[in-house]
Each structure stands twice: as C-alpha cells, then as structure tokens.
Amino acid sequence: MKKLLASTCLFLGTIAGSAMAQAADCGNVTIASMNWQSAEVISNLDKIILNEGYGCNAEITIGDTVPTITSMAEKGEPDIAPEAWIDLLPDVVKKGTEEGRIVKVGSPLPDGGVQGWWIPKYFADAHPDIKTIPDLLKHPDLIKDPEDPSKGAIYNGPQGWGGTVVTAQLYKAFEAEKAGWTLVDTGSAAGLDGSIAKAYERKEGWVGYYWAPTALLGKYEMVQLQAGVPYDEAEWKRCVTVADCTDPKPSAWPVDTIVTLVAKPFSEKAGPEVMEYLNKRSWSNETIAKLMAWMTDNQASGEDGAKHFLAENKDIWTKWVSADAAAKIEAAL
C-alpha cells in the first residue's frame, strides 16, 4: 500500500510539475489592446485562451498603433500586439524584424483592412451591372443628392480622416463632378453612419466611403465597389493621399496588411503550442464584423465580446488550439 501511495504521489507530482513547467515557460505576458473594437476583443480573446488554455499569466496593456509597434521594435515590449496594422509603420516594422526584436506570426484578419466606396447589397442586387466606380458614375439618378435631386450624391467621412482625403481625391480623379455627382460632407463619424442607416431603413441608394471590418458593416450588408483600375502605388503616394494635389489619377485602394507581432524574447520562451495558436488564430472580416455589431448593440466590452465569441463559435476557435487547451478553456467558460 505504501508503495502504491508513493507511486501515486510521484505520478501526481509529475503531472503537477509538468503543468507548472508549462506555466513557467509561458510566464508573464503583456498583450497590447489598441483603441478600436476589433483589437479590443482579440486582445481579450488572447488573454483568456493563453491563461486558461496554456497556463500563462497574461495581462492587457492599453496602447495604440504607433507607440505600441515602435516600442516593440525598439525595446521588445509589450510581448504581443494581436492586431497590428503594419502598413502604417513599414520602416519601423522592417527594422525591428531585421534587428531580431519582433517576429510576425500570422494574421488575425487575413482578409486585411479594406477601405473604399461601398453600396448596400440590396442596391447591388437590384443593379447587377454596377460593379465598379465608373459603372456607378453613369447613373447619378439612382442615388439623388438630398440638397439637389438633379445630381447624384457620394457620401464622404469627416474632415481629418485619411479616407476622407482619398475619397475627395478619387472624386476628382474619376471626374465625378463632370458626371453629375456631388460630394456630400457628412460632418462626423456619426453623420456618416447615420446616412447609411437612413438609406437602409428606406431601402434607398447610397454610395460613399467606409471600411472593414467594422460593427456597422456587420449590421448592414454592404458591397465594395471595385475601382475598375489597378492599385497604383506611385500615384497613391504622389497625389491620391495628398489633399492639395490638383491632378490625381484613378487608382484602386490598397488592402492594409494586418498581422500579429510578437516580441522575439517571448517567441523563444512561450513554447511551440502557444506560438502555434498565435499562428492559427484568425477570423474573417465578416465574422469579426458580426461580433462587433453584437458588442455595439449590447454595449459590451472587449472581454464580454471575447467570452461571447468563445461561447458561440466553438467550431472556429477549437481549430486554433490543442485538444487539451480546448477542454480547459471550455471548462473555464
């Protein structure tokens, strides 16, 4: 009996020791949460999965794109930036990667950040011949300017947004004014959102600037108009993004690259299972948009959104983690 007890204690001690070793390997983790909805929910999702599934001691630190990525590239802190829009700081990311301070470990949003001009899906279905900006510009009568019904209306974002500048430049580049269209200043983010909501309620035509993934596009199904021309990087930098440039040429919008950045020291100590999770963890723009719409409707926090996603989407997230981690996460929900 004593031998049986001794071997049982040894066995249990081995299991406990293994679990402690796993937690020690992962250790303390800092996860950057940016100040927008999709980044908030994915940082909380990573915190729950790493803590409950892999025995980490993860905490969230509040950040923003420029300071967070710069700090990771220069100091190796914080440990993880789950949703890094790296096209905003290409030189910083390149330097940090080359100097061995950060590594890219997959993309949480492989669809990328998508900006452009959008139309409601019901409008696209009713007009299957309209697929590009030039297609639409032939029909100003379909989306009437409320101030001047003899002209079409293209709705823009508020002043100060990069997308607002680009929309105004593309309005010139595609000669929309000559085609009978006006550019409507919606005045604010709420004004832009309200113009879409109003069109949807009345099932009216609408076209204007927006981006994905967003809660609004999770609530209202929209279709992006194609530019009808390829993306011209040189023209984009020369004039399309420059407010006072007078001769912009047509160009498609680029798709923003979104990756998960991990500090090199953490990538080396975290263990293969944790790194495999961070490489696999991704969702479509449609999935996150619907989740953000739920969060908005329920005034939910990033933590609330993460827990709702885990409860409602087992078929998605269990593919990212090991079977053992999945069981632990389910037990913790």
Side-chain angles (χ1 to χ4, degrees), residues 122-160:
Y122 60 79
F123 182 86
D125 291 343
H127 303 282
D129 56 317
I130 297 176
K131 299 185 182 302
T132 68
I133 291 174
D135 290 340
L136 180 68
L137 294 182
K138 297 173 186 175
H139 303 283
D141 56 302
L142 295 178
I143 306 174
K144 295 181 179 180
D145 180 355
E147 300 296 325
D148 183 356
S150 68
K151 295 183 178 181
I154 298 168
Y155 291 84
N156 206 354
Q159 298 303 312

Side-chain angles (χ1 to χ4, degrees), residues 48-321:
I48 294 170
I49 288 178
L50 292 180
N51 285 350
E52 304 298 343
Y54 296 101
C56 302
N57 181 31
E59 292 293 340
I60 288 174
T61 178
I62 304 301
D64 209 340
T65 300
V66 174
T68 296
I69 294 178
T70 302
S71 178
M72 291 183 76
E74 294 179 353
K75 304 174 185 177
E77 301 172 349
D79 295 308
I80 305 171
E83 189 182 309
W85 293 56
I86 60 173
D87 292 340
L88 296 170
L89 292 164
D91 295 338
V92 174
V93 174
K94 184 174 184 288
K95 183 180 179 183
T97 304
E98 290 175 347
E99 293 180 354
R101 292 192 179 92
I102 53 176
V103 292
K104 302 174 192 175
V105 291
S107 173
L109 290 164
D111 294 343
V114 183
Q115 299 184 78
W117 292 7
W118 304 72
I119 54 177
K121 187 176 185 300
Y122 60 79
F123 182 86
D125 291 343
H127 303 282
D129 56 317
I130 297 176
K131 299 185 182 302
T132 68
I133 291 174
D135 290 340
L136 180 68
L137 294 182
K138 297 173 186 175
H139 303 283
D141 56 302
L142 295 178
I143 306 174
K144 295 181 179 180
D145 180 355
E147 300 296 325
D148 183 356
S150 68
K151 295 183 178 181
I154 298 168
Y155 291 84
N156 206 354
Q159 298 303 312
W161 286 8
T164 300
V165 171
V166 171
T167 293
Q169 291 297 84
L170 291 181
Y171 174 82
K172 290 189 286 188
F174 282 100
E175 299 185 331
E177 184 175 11
K178 186 184 293 185
W181 295 78
T182 57
L183 190 61
V184 178
D185 182 357
T186 54
S188 66
L192 180 62
D193 290 359
S195 69
I196 295 175
K198 182 179 178 181
Y200 244 86
E201 288 166 6
R202 300 179 178 183
K203 289 295 182 284
E204 295 175 343
W206 187 95
V207 62
Y209 170 74
Y210 220 80
W211 70 100
T214 49
L216 190 95
L217 295 196
K219 185 174 184 178
Y220 301 117
E221 196 169 1
M222 305 285 282
V223 176
Q224 186 186 16
L225 277 177
Q226 300 305 304
V229 295
Y231 168 56
D232 186 333
E233 183 178 4
E235 178 60 22
W236 191 263
K237 291 179 179 178
R238 181 193 74 85
C239 195
V240 176
T241 55
V242 181
D244 57 0
C245 183
T246 59
D247 62 336
K249 305 296 186 295
S251 171
W253 294 70
V255 175
D256 289 310
T257 305
I258 304 170
V259 303
T260 294
L261 292 179
V262 175
K264 188 67 177 291
F266 177 74
S267 73
E268 293 172 342
K269 76 167 186 175
E273 283 197 341
V274 168
M275 295 305 295
E276 184 178 8
Y277 158 68
L278 292 173
N279 267 298
K280 285 183 175 180
R281 184 260 290 118
S282 68
W283 42 24
S284 67
N285 282 356
E286 182 181 6
T287 296
I288 183 59
K290 288 179 179 177
L291 177 58
M292 289 191 290
W294 177 88
M295 290 170 64
T296 299
D297 289 344
N298 291 276
Q299 298 183 329
S301 66
E303 182 179 2
D304 296 332
K307 289 178 178 178
H308 178 78
F309 173 80
L310 289 168
E312 300 294 326
N313 297 275
K314 183 181 174 182
D315 58 320
I316 296 177
W317 67 263
T318 51
K319 296 175 183 177
W320 305 339
V321 301

